[in-house]
Amino acid sequence: MSVLLTGAAGFIGMHVAESLLARGERVIGVDSLNAYYDVRLKRARLARLEGRPGFTFLHADIADREAMLPLAEAHSDVTRIVHLAAQPGVRYSLVDPFAYVEANVMGHLVMLELARRLPRLEHLVYASSSSVYGGNRKLPFAEADRVDHPVSLYAATKRAGELISESYGHLFGLPQTGLRFFTVYGPWGRPDMGPWLFSEAILEGRPITLYDGGRLKRDFTFVADIVAGVVGCLDHPAPAKAPRVLNIGNHRSVEVRRFVAVLEEALGRRAVVVDAPRPATDVEETFADIEAIHALCGYEPRTPIEVGIPRFAEWFLSWRKGG
């Protein structure tokens, strides 16, 4: 039996693949290796997986149905899917909106069509986002909250994926769990996210921009905690006709300026800070209610930023020196 993992060369995907392989799973990793950010980083992540017993890589775009749908026959032993591939980033959706609809809506649909063709499918776990909560002011964000006022196209495409999954659960009985990821950070993170951008600027003496004086708050979640939740959910299939959506976060809301202060300490340098108004695509605060995922699989994040940020900084410094 095998696990099909999309986004295998991605930040979270690589870590999930390593966790599955470590416990003896066979993993079929899929990734398009697109150029949204430096492909060298994606290939370096992939190099950590290739050659390991049980790992197979397929270079393919999840939105390409001619490439993806035949996998149902070629890999009919797949019993579980972890679908993480997507077009990420909130602000980039203002630059290339078509990329989001192609990857996050069409790509999600293709994966559902593939899933329903697999004869032994037990569970599909897919990545949604805390962005679906939009400008909600009730905290912490809970799965029962309204999510019909997205403030970015990225959020709208992620909510669309949830709704399509709901319909496929009803129509075809696909057992599915959607995970609303909050702000994930850690080693091998993405160059378009705050920890990387802040670190690079601090080390090069360039200013960093903190919106609203750094008072925006985020539920920063260390990647190892996220992986434990993803794998835990994978091991607890949803009922066939009852797709579920769960938060997966740290259940702590931290001001961005506090995050930067810990990062400064880890890097041994002070940041040059520039203040700016909050962009329309950004919300004031994110904060995950994680009672449901805890009840399902015992999910309990254990890594505060005072531990997680130094781990990221150590990796980042090593990466800058050439790995």
Side-chain angles (χ1 to χ4, degrees):
M1 301 302 150
S2 300
V3 179
L4 179 65
L5 170 67
T6 72
F11 169 35
I12 299 173
M14 182 208 75
H15 287 285
V16 170
E18 288 186 327
S19 178
L20 292 171
L21 291 168
R23 69 179 197 173
E25 303 273 10
R26 292 200 297 272
V27 177
I28 301 164
V30 177
D31 205 293
S32 68
L33 299 174
N34 70 28
Y36 169 65
Y37 60 81
D38 193 343
V39 176
R40 291 174 297 177
L41 177 60
K42 298 180 180 184
R43 293 194 181 280
R45 295 189 191 119
L46 189 58
R48 291 171 59 90
L49 304 175
E50 291 184 310
R52 292 186 58 168
F55 183 76
T56 302
F57 178 65
L58 299 174
H59 186 186
D61 185 339
I62 58 164
D64 181 355
R65 53 190 164 187
E66 293 184 0
M68 295 302 297
L69 295 183
L71 298 183
E73 184 175 347
H75 296 280
S76 59
D77 64 329
V78 169
T79 57
R80 288 156 296 156
I81 297 174
V82 180
H83 173 39
L84 302 177
Q87 175 58 56
V90 171
R91 294 175 201 141
Y92 186 67
S93 63
L94 297 173
V95 177
D96 187 2
F98 300 104
Y100 288 78
V101 175
E102 181 73 9
N104 301 352
V105 180
M106 178 59 77
H108 191 75
L109 177 61
V110 170
M111 290 305 302
L112 291 173
E113 281 294 315
L114 169 59
R116 76 183 187 92
R117 287 165 167 76
L118 287 167
R120 303 179 187 180
L121 184 73
E122 298 172 359
H123 198 195
L124 163 62
V125 173
Y126 67 89
S128 186
S129 169
S130 62
S131 296
V132 301
Y133 289 110
N136 284 10
R137 293 188 176 274
K138 171 188 161 293
L139 296 169
F141 295 158
E143 293 89 347
D145 294 345
R146 291 185 62 176
V147 286
D148 52 359
H149 293 289
V151 298
S152 69
L153 178 62
Y154 170 71
T157 60
K158 283 300 189 178
R159 179 57 179 153
E162 292 181 354
L163 292 172
I164 295 169
S165 278
E166 180 71 24
S167 68
Y168 266 64
H170 170 72
L171 293 170
F172 306 113
L174 286 181
Q176 301 171 73
T177 300
L179 296 176
R180 290 174 176 168
F181 290 98
F182 284 67
T183 307
V184 186
Y185 74 98
W188 295 97
R190 296 199 331 250
D192 63 322
M193 296 187 71
W196 185 300
L197 294 171
F198 292 155
S199 296
E200 199 165 55
I202 290 170
L203 292 172
E204 294 175 2
R206 294 184 285 106
I208 64 172
T209 300
L210 296 186
Y211 299 117
D212 291 354
R215 289 184 292 275
L216 301 186
K217 292 183 176 182
R218 294 292 179 265
D219 191 319
F220 294 104
T221 314
F222 191 64
V223 66
D225 292 328
I226 287 288
V227 170
V230 171
V231 174
C233 286
L234 186 66
D235 292 342
H236 293 79
K241 289 279 188 177
R244 62 191 174 209
V245 177
L246 302 173
N247 289 337
I248 181 167
N250 200 33
H251 194 57
R252 295 178 180 88
S253 192
V254 177
E255 285 190 339
V256 174
R257 58 186 175 184
R258 170 61 185 159
F259 189 94
V260 170
V262 178
L263 186 59
E264 288 175 319
E265 184 176 352
L267 294 173
R269 298 198 184 182
R270 298 282 294 178
V272 179
V273 176
V274 175
D275 188 22
R278 174 170 59 95
T281 53
D282 286 28
V283 299
E284 291 184 14
E285 182 173 358
T286 63
F287 183 14
D289 181 330
I290 58 173
E291 287 187 11
I293 190 172
H294 174 76
L296 175 72
C297 63
Y299 173 72
E300 189 172 347
R302 302 178 183 276
T303 314
I305 62 170
E306 290 78 12
V307 174
I309 291 176
R311 292 181 185 173
F312 165 76
E314 180 182 14
W315 170 83
F316 184 76
L317 291 170
S318 174
W319 174 259
R320 279 173 59 90
K321 291 177 182 177

